[in-house]
Amino acid sequence: MKKTSRIPGFYKLTIDERLKKVVEFANLTDEEVNLLKKVGNLDLSIADRMIENVIGTMAYPFAVAVNFLINGKDYLVPMVLEEPSVVAAASNAARFMRRDGGIHVENTGPIMIGQVQVVGVKDPWYQRMAILEHKEEILEIANEQDPILVRLGGGAKDLEVRVIDSPIGPMVIVHLIVDVKDAMGANVVNTMAEAVAPTIERITGGKVYLRIVSNLADKRLVRARVKIYKEDIGGEEVVDGIVAAWAFAAADPYRAATHNKGIMNGVIAVALATAQDHRAIEAGAHAYAARNGRYEPLSKWEKDKDGNLVGTLEMPMAVGIVGGATKAHPVARVALKILGVKSADELAKVMGAVGLAQNFAALRALATEGIQRGHMRLHARNIAISVGAKGELIDKIVEIMVREGKINYDRAKELLEELSRKSK
Ligand code: MEV
C-alpha cells in the first residue's frame, strides 16, 4: 500500500488513534510508541550528559503535521512547540499544496563556513594573497582533523580570504569552506578552524583571535517553490490579498520580522522535534534576511499568468542527522524515523517546505478572516474536550461558543449538560 500523509480528520482522532496511524506510516515498534507516550521521555541520566547543571527535564507537546507532499514523497512531519494553531495551520496549508507533486525543494548542499580572524596585519591585501597561495597546505591541515568525513567525500574544500574594515582597523578574515555531509557541522568546522590558525599566523605574521563557525550559512541554502490553485483557496481575491501581504513585508522591516516569525513557527518546531541547534537556524535565517542591508522576508508570493498563487522561500538551513543531540535524544530519533529522512539534505528540504507552508497559512488567514477566529475555534475545542464532551458534541459546543463569542469553561459545561439532556 502506498503511504500517504493525506489523513482527513486526523485532528478529530484520539491520541491513541493518531498514534496508530503514525505507527502504520513509520513502522514504529512498541518500544518507540511507549517512549512517545511516556511522561518525561528523556532519562535524567541522558539529560545529565547533554548539558551541565541538570536538575530535571521539561516536556513539550509533540505533534505531527499531516498532508505534506514534498518532491513527490509523503511525509508526516513531527513538530514540537507550545503555540496552538501552528500544527493545524501547517497541515491545512499542506493540503492545498499537494497538486503538481506538492512542494518542490532543492538545496545547495551541506556547506558550512568556518571563520578565522587575523588582526595586527599592516599589509592585509598582501597577506590575503599569501594565505591564498598556501591554500592546499591549509586545507590539508583542516582535513587531517576528520579523516572519516573526508573518506565520506566531505571535508574542507576551499578557502576564501576577505579584508574587512572594523572599528579597530582592517582585519583579514579567512573562510574555510567545509562540506559537512550529514552533520550540522559546527563541531567539525570549529576543530578545523582552530587547527589551521597557527599556520595562518605563521604566514601572515598577524595574530589570530576567533576561530569559529559562521551561522550565516549562506552556502547551505534551502530553496522551495509551490503553486496553489486559486479555486482551492477562495479565488483570485485571496491570491491578491496574499501577494499584498508579502509586498507589505518586502517594503517594511516591522512587518518582515513578523512574516519571518511565521516561517520560523514551522521551521523551529521541526528543529525541536529532531533536536537541532535551533538557535543556529534562527540566527542564520535573520542574518540572511538582512543580507541586502535591510531586513527582508525570506519568502516571496506572486500571482502567475493564470491567476494562481506561486510562492518561493530561500533561507539557510544548517541541520544534521548525525552527532549531537539528534543521536543522544531518544525522541529525536523517533522523530527522524517518523519523517523517514535519509540525509541532512533531505531534512533541510522538509524544513524549508514546512516554513513555506506555515507562511502561506498565516498570510491566507491574515489576508482573509484574520488569525483570531481560527485560534478561537481551537481554544473552544480544547475547552469543550476539557469539560468532557465527546464526538459530535465537541463540534456542536464549539460552534455555539464561537457564534456567541463566549468561550469559557462554564459556558462549555452548561452547553454539555443542555445538549446531553436533549440527545437523551
Ligand atoms: C504568529 O505566531 C505568526 C504570525 O504572526 C505570522 C504572520 O503574521 O505572518 C501569524
Side-chain angles (χ1 to χ4, degrees):
M1 199 175 67
K2 193 174 172 318
K3 284 203 288 198
T4 177
S5 66
R6 175 80 192 101
I7 310 178
F10 188 74
Y11 71 98
K12 287 187 188 162
L13 304 177
T14 64
I15 291 180
D16 280 334
E17 287 165 343
R18 282 184 216 136
L19 249 175
K20 198 160 164 271
K21 297 255 181 229
V22 178
V23 167
E24 283 161 13
F25 188 92
N27 285 326
L28 298 188
T29 63
D30 288 349
E31 203 183 326
E32 287 162 341
V33 171
N34 288 337
L35 182 66
L36 284 177
K37 289 168 84 169
K38 190 166 130 192
V39 180
N41 46 22
L42 180 61
D43 271 0
L44 270 183
S45 60
I46 299 178
D48 202 25
R49 286 197 299 274
M50 286 173 73
I51 62 167
E52 309 73 40
N53 300 1
V54 168
I55 56 165
T57 59
M58 176 180 167
Y60 263 52
F62 181 112
V64 291
V66 295
N67 303 330
F68 273 89
L69 184 64
I70 302 166
N71 292 340
K73 178 174 166 187
D74 267 280
Y75 292 90
L76 290 183
V77 180
M79 299 176 87
V80 167
L81 82 164
E82 86 303 340
E83 184 176 332
S85 302
V86 170
V87 180
S91 302
N92 193 35
R95 196 159 57 87
F96 297 111
M97 298 179 163
R98 292 182 66 86
R99 288 166 77 172
D100 293 334
I103 308 165
H104 301 268
V105 199
E106 273 308 311
N107 70 37
T108 55
I111 306 294
M112 296 295 283
I113 299 167
Q115 294 194 293
V116 180
Q117 173 201 26
V118 195
V119 301
V121 180
K122 287 266 172 297
D123 48 356
W125 292 106
Y126 191 81
Q127 296 308 334
R128 172 177 181 271
M129 289 302 176
I131 296 169
L132 285 171
E133 248 171 58
H134 288 81
K135 175 172 140 177
E136 291 312 319
E137 181 190 342
I138 294 169
L139 293 182
E140 209 176 298
I141 298 168
N143 282 327
E144 277 164 11
Q145 311 309 309
D146 198 333
I148 299 178
L149 180 64
V150 173
R151 219 176 306 137
L152 291 170
K157 301 287 183 192
D158 202 2
L159 211 61
E160 288 171 0
V161 188
R162 302 157 57 219
V163 176
I164 62 168
D165 261 336
S166 87
I168 58 163
M171 290 177 188
V172 180
I173 306 296
V174 182
H175 281 189
L176 264 182
I177 311 297
V178 186
D179 181 338
V180 298
K181 292 283 165 200
D182 279 326
M184 182 272 176
N187 254 330
V188 62
V189 167
N190 293 343
T191 306
M192 288 179 173
E194 289 187 7
V196 301
T199 306
I200 292 173
E201 280 187 334
R202 178 177 52 76
I203 297 166
T204 58
K207 173 154 184 52
V208 167
Y209 279 118
L210 269 57
R211 299 141 295 166
I212 188 78
V213 71
S214 170
N215 289 126
L216 175 48
D218 63 356
K219 294 183 188 294
R220 200 176 192 178
L221 299 175
V222 63
R223 295 186 176 126
R225 70 176 167 88
V226 73
K227 184 196 285 196
I228 299 161
Y229 290 83
K230 56 178 187 258
E231 63 274 16
D232 290 346
I233 55 166
E236 218 158 318
E237 207 181 313
V238 176
V239 173
D240 288 338
I242 293 171
V243 173
W246 162 72
F248 177 12
D252 177 15
Y254 284 93
R255 173 57 207 156
T258 323
H259 179 106
N260 288 345
K261 192 273 185 183
I263 294 171
M264 300 317 276
N265 273 348
V267 170
I268 297 301
V270 184
L272 283 170
T274 56
Q276 303 299 318
D277 181 346
H278 55 93
R279 287 90 49 212
I281 299 170
E282 194 86 51
H286 299 302
Y288 192 70
R291 70 195 178 285
N292 296 324
R294 194 180 68 187
Y295 190 88
E296 293 171 342
L298 293 163
S299 65
K300 297 189 189 330
W301 292 96
E302 305 163 285
K303 184 158 80 168
D304 75 3
K305 62 177 180 4
D306 305 315
N308 296 318
L309 180 69
V310 286
T312 54
L313 173 134
E314 184 178 87
M315 65 183 287
M317 198 64 82
V319 294
I321 61 164
V322 295
T326 317
K327 273 278 177 288
H329 201 305
V331 180
R333 289 204 297 272
V334 179
L336 284 174
K337 182 169 175 184
I338 293 171
L339 262 177
V341 292
K342 300 283 180 288
S343 63
D345 263 20
E346 190 182 352
L347 175 60
K349 285 175 183 162
V350 170
M351 290 169 67
V354 175
L356 188 59
Q358 203 75 60
N359 182 220
F360 162 73
L363 297 191
R364 182 178 182 225
L366 289 167
T368 53
E369 61 179 23
I371 59 164
Q372 284 314 87
R373 223 177 101 173
H375 272 304
M376 283 306 149
R377 286 199 84 78
L378 276 179
H379 181 51
R381 205 179 157 77
N382 290 340
I383 289 184
I385 292 169
S386 76
V387 298
K390 297 217 168 23
E392 277 185 1
L393 275 185
I394 300 174
D395 294 330
K396 280 192 184 144
I397 294 172
V398 168
E399 221 44 68
I400 299 172
M401 287 200 297
V402 169
R403 193 170 356 106
E404 292 176 347
K406 233 194 269 165
I407 302 172
N408 60 50
Y409 191 83
D410 289 343
R411 182 64 184 137
K413 233 173 149 187
E414 233 172 65
L415 285 168
L416 178 63
E417 280 159 20
E418 216 174 287
L419 293 168
S420 307
R421 233 182 294 125
K422 270 192 203 154
S423 65
K424 267 184 200 149

